[in-house]
Amino acid sequence: MSTPTMATQSQNPPPPASLVRRATSSIVRAPLFGASVALIVAIIAFGIISPRFLAPGNISLILQQSVVIGILAVAQTLIILTAGIDLSIGAIAVLGTVVMAQTAGAVGPVSAILLTLIVCVALGSLNGGLSTLLHLPPFIVTLGTFTAIVAATHLYAGSQTFQVSDPLLTFLGTTFRIGDFVTTYGVVAMLLVYLVVGYALTQTAWGRHVYAVGGNPAAAKLSGVRSDWVTFSVYFFSGVIALIAAWAALGRIPNADPNAYQNANLETITAVVIGGTSLFGGRGGVLGTLIGTLIVGVLRNGLTLAGVDNLYQNIATGVLVIAAVAVDQIMRRRTAR
C-alpha cells in the first residue's frame, strides 16, 4: 500500500468535525454574539416570569420606551468610537425639549425645532471644541457641561414643566398599525438614525477615519487623518442627534420636564458598551448599540412587570455596565497576546 505524500495530505479537505469547530469558534468570537445571546436569554427569562411580557402590546411598549435612549446611544457610540465619552448628551436632549416646548407658542413649531437644533448643535460643538482645541479629557469636559446644562435648564424653565399640544412637535408619538402590531413614528425615526449612521460608519471615508482616530490616533495622524476635525465632527453630529431625541421625547410624553431622563447618560453608555463597542475606541458599531438598547429596554420592562423597584433596576443597570467593561478588558488582553 502506498503512503500518501505531504503534498497530497495538504490538499485533502479538513474533516467535518474540524469545520464544525471552526464555524462554532467563528460564531462565538463574533462581536455581536454575546449581546445577541444576552438579549435572547433575557426575552426567554422574562417571558417565563410574566406571561404579559411577550404580548404584542408589551413588545410595542418596549420599543417605544427605548426610542429616546436608543437615539441618544447612537451619538454616544460615535463619541466612544473616538475613545471619548459624553456625560452631557442626556442633559442636552432635556434642554432641547424645554426650548422646543417653550418657544413653539411664540415662534411656531418649525422655528422652535430649528432653534432647538441650533442650541443642541452649539452645545455639542462646545464639547468638541474644548476636547480638541484645548485637548481636555472628554470625561472632564462633558462632566462640566453636564452640570452647567442641568442648572441652566432649571433656570430657563423656572423649574416648571411645559405641556405640548402642537401636532408637529408630538408627531413622532403618532401610532400606526402593521397588521396587529402597533408602533409609533418615533420607532421609525430611531431605526432611520441607526441606518444612516451605520451607513456613514461603514461606507464612507469619514466613518473609517472615526475608527482610525479611536483605534490608533498616532497611526491615523501619520496617515493624514485630521484627528481633531474628525473628533469635533462626532460631537457636532451628537448635537443633531440630540435634537431628534428631544423631538422623540415630546412625542413619547408631550410634556417638557427639566427633571426627565436623569439616567439617560448611564443608560446610553450601558447600551453602547454591552452592544460590543469598546470604551477605549476604535471597535464596535451601531448595530451592537441597537441590541444593547433593546437589552436595557427588555431588562427595565421585565423587571417592572416582575414588580422590582426602580432603584433595584438602576442597580442592575450599573452591574451590566461593570460586567460589559470587564468583558471588554478581557477581550482586549486576549487580542493583545
Side-chain angles (χ1 to χ4, degrees), residues 16 61 103 112 120 123 156 232 234 250 269 313 330:
L61 180 62
T103 59
C120 292
L123 292 173
Y156 179 67
F232 178 83
V234 298
L250 291 182
I269 294 170
Q313 295 181 27
I330 293 171

Side-chain angles (χ1 to χ4, degrees), residues 75-99:
Q76 195 72 265
T77 303
L78 288 174
I79 293 169
I80 289 179
L81 281 175
T82 61
I85 198 165
D86 191 347
L87 300 180
S88 67
I89 189 69
I92 294 174
V94 171
L95 176 59
T97 62
V98 174
V99 171

Side-chain angles (χ1 to χ4, degrees), residues 116-135:
T116 305
L117 173 64
I118 294 172
V119 172
C120 292
V121 168
L123 292 173
S125 300
L126 176 64
N127 285 333
L130 291 173
S131 299
T132 55
L133 296 178
L134 300 181
H135 298 288

Side-chain angles (χ1 to χ4, degrees), residues 1-314:
M1 181 180 292
S2 62
T3 303
T5 64
M6 292 184 62
T8 304
Q9 289 175 347
S10 63
Q11 292 174 356
N12 290 335
S18 176
L19 290 175
V20 171
R21 282 197 300 271
R22 290 181 184 178
T24 304
S25 176
S26 298
I27 293 173
V28 171
R29 290 175 179 273
L32 301 180
F33 177 78
S36 302
V37 169
L39 178 60
I40 294 171
V41 169
I43 291 174
I44 294 174
F46 287 122
I48 295 173
I49 293 172
S50 173
R52 291 171 49 199
F53 181 79
L54 293 176
N58 192 58
I59 299 297
S60 175
L61 180 62
I62 292 174
L63 290 174
Q64 293 176 44
Q65 290 174 334
S66 302
V67 164
V68 176
I69 297 302
I71 294 173
L72 290 176
V74 175
Q76 195 72 265
T77 303
L78 288 174
I79 293 169
I80 289 179
L81 281 175
T82 61
I85 198 165
D86 191 347
L87 300 180
S88 67
I89 189 69
I92 294 174
V94 171
L95 176 59
T97 62
V98 174
V99 171
M100 203 182 303
Q102 195 180 36
T103 59
V107 300
V110 175
S111 297
I113 292 173
L114 293 176
L115 182 60
T116 305
L117 173 64
I118 294 172
V119 172
C120 292
V121 168
L123 292 173
S125 300
L126 176 64
N127 285 333
L130 291 173
S131 299
T132 55
L133 296 178
L134 300 181
H135 298 288
L136 299 176
F139 179 87
I140 300 300
V141 169
T142 57
L143 179 61
T145 53
F146 163 76
T147 306
I149 292 169
V150 168
T153 302
H154 280 83
L155 290 171
Y156 179 67
S159 297
Q160 297 179 357
T161 60
F162 302 91
Q163 288 191 342
V164 177
S165 58
D166 187 275
L168 180 59
L169 298 189
T170 59
F171 170 74
L172 294 181
T174 306
T175 60
F176 65 96
R177 184 179 293 275
I178 304 175
D180 294 332
F181 188 76
V182 178
T183 187
T184 67
Y185 289 109
V187 174
V188 177
M190 177 182 72
L191 295 178
L192 284 176
V193 171
Y194 275 92
L195 283 174
V196 171
V197 175
Y199 178 85
L201 282 175
T202 58
Q203 303 298 323
T204 68
W206 176 80
R208 290 189 289 275
H209 291 171
V210 169
Y211 282 100
V213 168
N216 193 331
K221 190 173 183 179
L222 291 174
S223 301
V225 176
R226 298 170 62 188
S227 301
D228 288 347
W229 169 248
V230 172
T231 302
F232 178 83
S233 68
V234 298
Y235 285 95
F236 178 90
F237 286 121
S238 75
V240 178
I241 295 172
L243 162 73
I244 301 172
W247 193 2
L250 291 182
R252 171 78 184 132
I253 300 176
N255 191 31
D257 184 356
N259 294 310
Y261 297 102
Q262 293 185 354
N263 294 323
N265 297 321
L266 174 63
E267 292 186 355
T268 58
I269 294 170
T270 304
V272 173
V273 175
I274 65 178
T277 297
S278 173
L279 274 176
F280 302 94
R283 181 164 54 85
V286 292
L287 180 57
T289 299
L290 179 59
I291 296 175
T293 299
L294 294 177
I295 291 175
V296 174
V298 164
L299 182 68
R300 286 204 171 273
N301 182 273
L303 292 176
T304 300
L305 290 179
V308 177
D309 187 88
N310 189 54
L311 294 176
Y312 290 103
Q313 295 181 27
N314 292 339

